[in-house]
Amino acid sequence: MTSHPTAGADSPKPAFELKAATFTLPVIRLLGIDMDAVADQLGVKVDQAPDFFRNTPVVIDLSGLPPGAGQIEFPLLVGLMRGFGMIPVGIRGGTEEQHAAAEAMELAILGDAFVRRTPPREAASQPDPRPAPRPAASPASAVAEEGVHASQRLVTRPVRSGQRVYAPGGDLSVVAPVSHGAELMADGNIHVYGPLRGRAMAGMKGDISARIFCQDLQAELLSVAGHYRISENIPDEVKGVPVQIFLDGDVLRVEKL
Amino acid sequence: MGKTTTSAALAMGLAQRGHRTAVIDFDVGLRNLDLIMGCERRVVYDFVNVINGEANINQALIRDKRCDALYVLPASQTRDKEALTKDGVGRVLEELGKTFDYIVCDSPAGIEHGAHMAMYYADDAVVVTNPEVSSVRDSDRMLGILSSKSRRAERNEAPIREYLLLTRYAPERVAKGEMLSVNDVREILSLDLLGVIPESKAVLNASNSGVPVILDTESDAGQAYHDAVGRYLGEDLPHRFLEIKKKGFFSRLMGG
Ligand SMILES: Nc1ncnc2c1ncn2[C@@H]1O[C@H](COP(=O)(O)OP(=O)(O)OP(=O)(O)O)[C@@H](O)[C@H]1O
Ligand SMILES: [Mg+2]
């Protein structure tokens, strides 16, 4: 008998395993339901970074729509996104009606537990005049760029426990502390100018030349292109000092700067 | 923890300085703000009655007997937490905003629905923390939620202004290494402190007699809350009660 040890005489060799995994996906956050406007503006983004969208699974976020925005023309939107090479996989947020319409288009309804949005804001150090101007997303633009076209992302406020920040397609710079339980992710490099107490994952899409630079290393986990080290395996002499983290073959090195 | 104690003290402190202030208990099912404010026997209608349209806001607000500018909106003891709907809370806050200078929302513990409702519409938030690692972590989490799950965040407006208040601070225990120091907390959360309230028997006495501790002007906790209100209103005041109470040269030396 040469069959798999766990398979009985009459059960076939296992053909698959079921597992859970977490993925980070770009999100298109709709700010209005005018699909013509979405088409125009998305076209511009795709022209800027065509490769980024090719065969990329994308989530449609409805939480930025004004209340009572009405029905979304999902067939149009899905067709539009496919036309640009994206693979619309699901939606997040929105009303029950919108969920039903999305399901009719075979889009999954996703919880908001992952891809936490970190609002694009500036440091609280400036006195903020209230009522405040709306900085990033002007009401005129129909698509907010979250996870879409960002070759560089700058965060100036502390990244708190439970928050996740992702810089798709580029580098992430954080000029503030990163707390225990916070998570930084970038397709490129990660720079932290403050204590790094949470997790940092560079090269999310497999770029083995990505690096992590940080001023004060106290991280829970470091990873480059999937090669990781947990806090326990980080030598004490590189803790609390400026370091860089990079892949040397299969070894994730932590080196003083 | 000290959230309700702090809500009562800050509300009273603001009202004493002449600002029309309402303090709302968001802890549906566990109300105790009215006890600490000493108005539990005058409760007729509550927050949920107002949200459900069973009473108007003026019927439900209880005027404080010690300070004309202060009103309490008690929580319901009997309803379930879902009674606080986002729309309902928004309507009540908007209504109050027409006639009040400050609305203090006393949040329940945790990060569940009630806490979310208490912070959702906020302009300013005071995060109350204790000098312990677990409490500071929770506060860090709460600060993250404040910056991503509030109405201001959803609308891409200027973020909620964050204030940190450290309470139940015991310098002797800090010296022994049993508690985090003011600087540890400041460092971990990278925020400045609105106030440091010492661990004090005056707090328990005050809540047992239904008098917000800020009215106990003899007590260290009362004075510390008074300073915190001043700082909130823009005064530049040094923190007091950070050192071990004078016990002679040697203990001071050890306390560093
Ligand atoms: N500075 C202090 N010194 C001593 N005891 C204090 C202090 N602050 C609060 N306490 C005590 O801690 C307990 C909890 O206080 P309080 O009700 O204000 O906390 P809370 O955060 O509102 O709690 P909950 O999460 O249950 O709503 C009370 O018994 C109170 O007397
Ligand atoms: Mg309480």
Side-chain angles (χ1 to χ4, degrees):
Chain A
M1 278 264 294
T2 56
S3 74
H4 196 276
T6 57
D10 46 4
S11 58
K13 240 174 142 174
F16 59 82
E17 292 177 332
L18 267 183
K19 288 190 169 174
T22 315
F23 299 94
T24 304
L25 303 177
V27 171
I28 288 195
R29 192 156 180 265
L30 289 186
L31 303 178
I33 59 163
D34 178 358
M35 287 305 138
D36 288 336
V38 174
D40 286 350
Q41 294 173 27
L42 207 50
V44 174
K45 297 279 179 227
V46 174
D47 283 344
Q48 289 167 347
D51 284 340
F52 182 70
F53 293 102
R54 200 158 295 141
N55 295 327
T56 306
V58 177
V59 174
I60 303 160
D61 184 345
L62 308 179
S63 65
L65 290 171
Q71 260 319 345
I72 296 151
E73 296 165 280
F74 281 112
L76 260 179
L77 180 59
V78 167
L80 180 70
M81 291 170 71
R82 292 218 175 106
F84 286 131
M86 305 174 205
I87 307 170
V89 289
I91 64 156
R92 180 175 72 166
T95 63
E96 266 167 36
E97 273 172 33
Q98 289 164 342
H99 289 185
E103 265 167 347
M105 283 305 293
E106 299 193 321
L107 291 169
I109 316 295
L110 304 174
D112 68 345
F114 80 128
V115 200
R116 177 82 58 237
R117 192 172 70 93
T118 309
R121 310 170 159 157
E122 285 319 297
S125 56
Q126 307 141 305
D128 47 35
R130 288 181 178 173
R134 301 183 167 213
S138 72
S141 80
V143 184
E145 48 215 270
E146 177 198 345
V148 183
H149 161 72
S151 56
Q152 172 57 277
R153 181 155 182 194
L154 176 67
V155 175
T156 54
R157 288 168 58 85
V159 185
R160 305 285 182 187
S161 174
Q163 292 188 316
R164 287 177 152 192
V165 184
Y166 177 35
D171 285 10
L172 173 63
S173 307
V174 180
V175 198
V178 178
S179 298
H180 286 283
E183 232 170 83
L184 305 180
M185 294 171 286
D187 291 346
N189 307 313
I190 294 177
H191 309 259
V192 182
Y193 302 92
L196 168 58
R197 303 189 175 105
R199 300 168 157 230
M201 291 169 271
M204 287 293 287
K205 286 205 175 137
D207 180 357
I208 55 170
S209 69
R211 293 187 178 207
I212 300 167
F213 303 89
C214 85
Q215 240 172 13
D216 177 358
L217 178 68
Q218 306 175 33
E220 293 167 328
L221 180 142
L222 297 166
S223 132
V224 172
H227 298 257
Y228 67 89
R229 269 189 201 229
I230 52 173
S231 173
E232 239 179 40
N233 301 332
I234 300 174
D236 281 345
E237 64 265 23
V238 293
K239 286 187 180 165
V241 297
V243 293
Q244 60 169 330
I245 294 105
F246 57 95
L247 264 182
D248 178 6
D250 268 351
V251 183
L252 189 66
R253 293 210 184 280
V254 183
E255 226 170 56
K256 284 189 207 173
L257 280 174
Chain B
M1 228 274 245
K3 296 183 295 296
T4 301
T5 303
T6 299
S7 300
L10 296 186
M12 178 60 86
L14 289 166
Q16 278 186 317
R17 291 168 189 242
H19 303 291
R20 254 177 80 82
T21 303
V23 55
I24 307 180
D25 191 345
F26 275 76
D27 208 343
V28 172
L30 273 174
R31 59 170 236 228
N32 58 15
L33 177 70
D34 48 341
L35 290 172
I36 292 188
M37 296 297 301
C39 64
E40 75 279 6
R41 285 188 291 175
R42 292 195 286 144
V43 175
V44 183
Y45 294 110
D46 58 52
F47 193 15
V48 172
N49 291 136
V50 180
I51 287 177
N52 291 345
E54 294 149 4
N56 71 38
I57 187 76
N58 293 319
Q59 292 172 298
L61 284 173
I62 305 172
R63 176 192 239 136
D64 189 89
K65 285 193 169 155
R66 297 151 296 211
C67 182
D68 279 352
L70 181 61
Y71 290 79
V72 180
L73 182 54
S76 160
Q77 212 155 20
T78 53
R79 318 282 182 126
D80 84 278
K81 300 178 174 40
E82 307 305 315
L84 298 182
T85 60
K86 202 182 257 186
D87 285 351
V89 171
R91 266 185 281 116
V92 174
L93 291 179
E94 193 178 329
E95 177 82 24
L96 288 172
K98 290 179 192 158
T99 52
F100 283 92
D101 302 322
Y102 291 99
I103 305 168
V104 178
C105 301
D106 178 27
S107 171
I111 53 175
E112 303 302 316
H113 182 72
H116 188 215
M117 288 302 101
M119 59 68 87
Y120 182 73
Y121 293 98
D123 296 315
D124 297 357
V126 178
V127 174
V128 177
T129 197
N130 299 142
E132 295 157 16
V133 173
S134 60
S135 175
V136 170
R137 290 255 177 123
D138 288 350
S139 300
D140 189 64
R141 188 93 209 269
M142 189 35 106
L143 286 161
I145 292 172
L146 285 171
S147 73
S148 56
K149 293 212 150 179
S150 66
R151 183 170 68 166
R152 285 177 168 275
E154 284 178 6
R155 293 182 169 184
N156 243 318
E157 295 171 350
I160 293 177
R161 265 184 295 246
E162 299 163 341
Y163 299 88
L164 185 65
L165 186 131
L166 182 60
T167 185
R168 311 205 65 163
Y169 193 69
E172 311 77 39
R173 300 195 51 199
V174 174
K176 286 190 205 145
E178 295 169 359
M179 269 187 179
L180 297 176
S181 71
V182 168
N183 282 335
D184 293 337
V185 175
R186 216 185 246 147
E187 229 255 327
I188 298 173
L189 294 176
S190 54
L191 273 182
D192 260 336
L193 286 156
L194 180 66
V196 179
I197 314 299
E199 171 78 23
S200 164
K201 286 204 183 69
V203 172
L204 191 60
N205 294 341
S207 28
N208 285 342
S209 49
V211 180
V213 70
I214 197 169
L215 293 178
D216 182 354
T217 51
E218 300 292 297
S219 70
D220 46 2
Q223 293 171 16
Y225 272 121
H226 189 266
D227 288 356
V229 172
R231 281 185 211 104
Y232 178 73
L233 295 172
E235 291 167 26
D236 187 12
L237 302 168
H239 290 284
R240 299 191 266 170
F241 317 112
L242 302 190
E243 308 298 327
I244 301 178
K245 277 184 215 126
K246 293 178 242 36
K247 273 188 212 139
F249 177 67
F250 189 66
S251 73
R252 250 183 298 151
L253 197 70
M254 298 304 285

